[in-house]
Amino acid sequence: MSHMSGPDPARPLILILDDNPELSRTLGRLLEVDGYPPPIISTDPTRAAALYREHAPDAVLLDLDFGRGAPDGFAVLDALRPLERDGYLPVLVLTGDDDRELRLRALRAGARDFIAKTADAAELRARLRNLVEVRMLQRELLNDNARLEHRVRERTAALAEAQLEVARRLAAAAREEDVHPRDAG
């Protein structure tokens, strides 16, 4: 299923980036049961940017810790941030760490919300639904703005054309007056 033409608002696409393949598959099955299309899943953080560009997901479930030697979730956030064309990076961080400073650092890096890896399915569903809903509303607003800008450009062009036509008619009337002056007397 290609999302190159833009996401289907009725079926938001999710990208799961986690080093635990079993957890990723479990999350994927949970999302499919909830009506999401099969998510894009990767255990390789170095593929995050390419997957994001290719699939334009509506949300990202991101683990912060990919193990020794691999880029961490913060590096992934840094790689994804410049790719987001709409200005809203929809990242839900999956973490097994309850460290407040870690959560604040992730929020400053662009994460929108957190969920503990030990959280229940209902909480994951609610947080993801909220994140996707904000994403869809944001895209709807951008689309509305684009339509309004287009209408303003059309009307501005029509007004400019009308002004030009008035100027042409005034110029023609002035030439006519010069050729056939009226008697003042």
Side-chain angles (χ1 to χ4, degrees):
M1 172 179 217
S2 174
H3 282 267
M4 300 310 275
S5 64
D8 177 355
R11 294 180 42 94
L13 182 64
I14 310 300
L15 170 60
I16 300 173
L17 298 164
D18 193 304
D19 64 336
N20 181 333
E22 185 177 320
L23 176 63
S24 296
R25 285 190 301 273
T26 299
L27 289 171
R29 284 192 298 273
L30 177 69
L31 294 174
E32 288 184 64
V33 165
D34 284 350
Y36 291 91
I40 308 305
I41 297 175
S42 179
T43 58
D44 181 358
T46 64
R47 295 195 59 229
L51 291 170
Y52 194 84
R53 267 192 304 272
E54 180 182 346
H55 298 283
D58 298 299
V60 178
L61 297 177
L62 174 64
D63 185 10
L64 287 181
D65 184 12
F66 282 90
R68 295 193 187 277
D72 64 10
F74 296 104
V76 171
L77 283 167
D78 288 343
L80 295 181
R81 194 176 316 107
L83 302 178
E84 181 47 54
R85 294 178 304 267
D86 297 338
Y88 179 75
L89 187 61
V91 175
L92 176 62
V93 169
L94 301 166
T95 183
D97 195 332
D98 195 29
D99 179 31
R100 180 180 183 274
E101 288 305 314
L102 184 74
R103 291 191 317 266
L104 289 174
R105 182 177 166 210
L107 287 170
R108 285 190 296 270
R112 298 295 176 204
D113 200 359
F114 287 86
I115 189 160
K117 285 188 174 185
T118 57
D120 62 25
E123 183 179 357
L124 173 67
R125 286 178 171 119
R127 289 181 184 274
L128 185 59
R129 182 189 65 242
N130 290 343
L131 189 69
V132 168
E133 185 176 305
V134 168
R135 172 59 148 198
M136 295 301 148
L137 289 171
Q138 185 256 357
R139 284 198 173 148
E140 187 178 318
L141 180 62
L142 289 173
N143 288 338
D144 288 348
N145 285 345
R147 281 190 294 276
L148 287 172
E149 287 175 13
H150 178 72
R151 287 178 60 193
V152 166
R153 281 191 301 275
E154 284 179 337
R155 290 189 178 177
T156 300
L159 180 59
E161 183 60 36
Q163 288 173 334
L164 187 58
E165 183 60 28
V166 167
R168 284 185 198 123
R169 289 181 184 202
L170 287 173
R175 280 191 302 275
E176 186 66 28
E177 182 66 26
D178 286 344
V179 172
H180 306 289
R182 291 189 214 172
D183 278 333

